[in-house]
Structures are given as structure tokens and as C-alpha cells.
Amino acid sequence: MFNKENKKPMAADNSLGGSNRIIAGTIIKGEVNSASDFRIDGEIEGNITTTGRLVVGKDGIIRGEVICANADVEGTIIAKSLIVKGTLSLKSTANIQGTVQAEKLAIEPGAIFNVTCSMGGASTKTTINNEPIKKESK
């Protein structure tokens, strides 16, 4: 009846349309892995990896490494490494610090973006804080 040899690990199925949510007042310390979309309104102190979209609400805070497909940020990310394979979208209340690698970047006026940023394979060091992006000349 409880034969361990017949048990197969269940694969994550993102086709179910499920998503995860960390609500305000919740603090998670450790590593989080998900095959679904993820919304953070609480705090994560550790690494988060998702093959879906990451949404950080206005009161959401992430301290750690982040890897995701796409990200919409209203809150705070203090990341040793933030890797977004698609589009990183920063709302006016966003505060991003650390190292960022993204394919595309959209920043609303008012967002704080104090990072070392790499886009499309090109590395650019910049600090943006309510100022236009200036292209570096080589």
C-alpha cells in the first residue's frame, strides 16, 4: 500500500493557471522556488526563483537573489542579483538596489533604480534616481 518505489515526484504544472501570494505581514526566510506566477505583498529574506511573472506589491520587500520570467515592481527589491528574462517594469513607488540583468526595462517617473544594470548582453553601470537615462559613450 505504501510502496515508495511506485511514487513518482509530481511535476509543477503552470498550465493550471495557479499563482502564489505572500500577504502583507508575512515574512519568509529561505529559498522559494515556483513554476507559477508569484505576488509578494509581505517580505522574503532569501532567494526566489519562478518561471512565471513576479509581482512585488507596494509594501512588498525582497532581500536576496531573484530569477523570474517577467517582473512588475511597486515595492522594494534589494538584490545581490535580479535576473529578469523578459521585461522588468518599475512603477513610481518601486525601489530597486543591487545588480540587475533584464531583456527589457520600463521605469515610471519617481521610481528609485540604484543598480548596476545589464541589458541584452551589454553591461552598463548607472544610477538612476528620477533622472533621464544617459547613454554611456565609449
Side-chain angles (χ1 to χ4, degrees):
M1 182 171 159
F2 293 104
N3 185 350
K4 291 183 181 180
E5 293 176 346
N6 292 334
K7 290 187 178 182
K8 295 180 182 176
M10 294 179 61
D13 186 1
N14 200 19
S15 65
L16 298 175
S19 64
N20 300 289
R21 184 167 184 193
I22 305 300
I23 63 171
T26 301
I27 299 173
I28 293 180
K29 295 181 181 183
E31 188 169 317
V32 177
N33 293 298
S34 176
S36 300
D37 294 346
F38 220 103
R39 180 173 177 97
I40 311 293
D41 289 306
E43 294 183 37
I44 292 186
E45 295 180 14
N47 302 335
I48 182 166
T49 302
T50 180
T51 56
R53 174 178 299 278
L54 175 67
V55 177
V56 181
K58 192 173 181 179
D59 296 323
I61 300 171
I62 299 174
R63 292 180 186 89
E65 295 184 5
V66 178
I67 299 173
C68 61
N70 293 291
D72 294 321
V73 182
E74 293 180 274
T76 301
I77 298 178
I78 301 171
K80 182 176 181 182
S81 174
L82 168 59
I83 299 171
V84 182
K85 296 177 182 180
T87 302
L88 171 60
S89 178
L90 305 180
K91 306 301 181 189
S92 62
T93 55
N95 181 351
I96 308 295
Q97 298 176 32
T99 301
V100 172
Q101 179 181 338
E103 186 64 30
K104 296 178 184 175
L105 179 63
I107 304 175
E108 287 185 0
I112 298 170
F113 190 66
N114 292 323
V115 303
T116 299
C117 184
S118 173
M119 293 180 59
S123 182
T124 301
K125 291 185 178 181
T126 185
T127 298
I128 301 171
N129 203 1
N130 298 327
E131 295 181 19
I133 298 173
K134 295 180 182 178
K135 192 172 183 180
E136 291 184 18
S137 58
K138 293 187 175 188

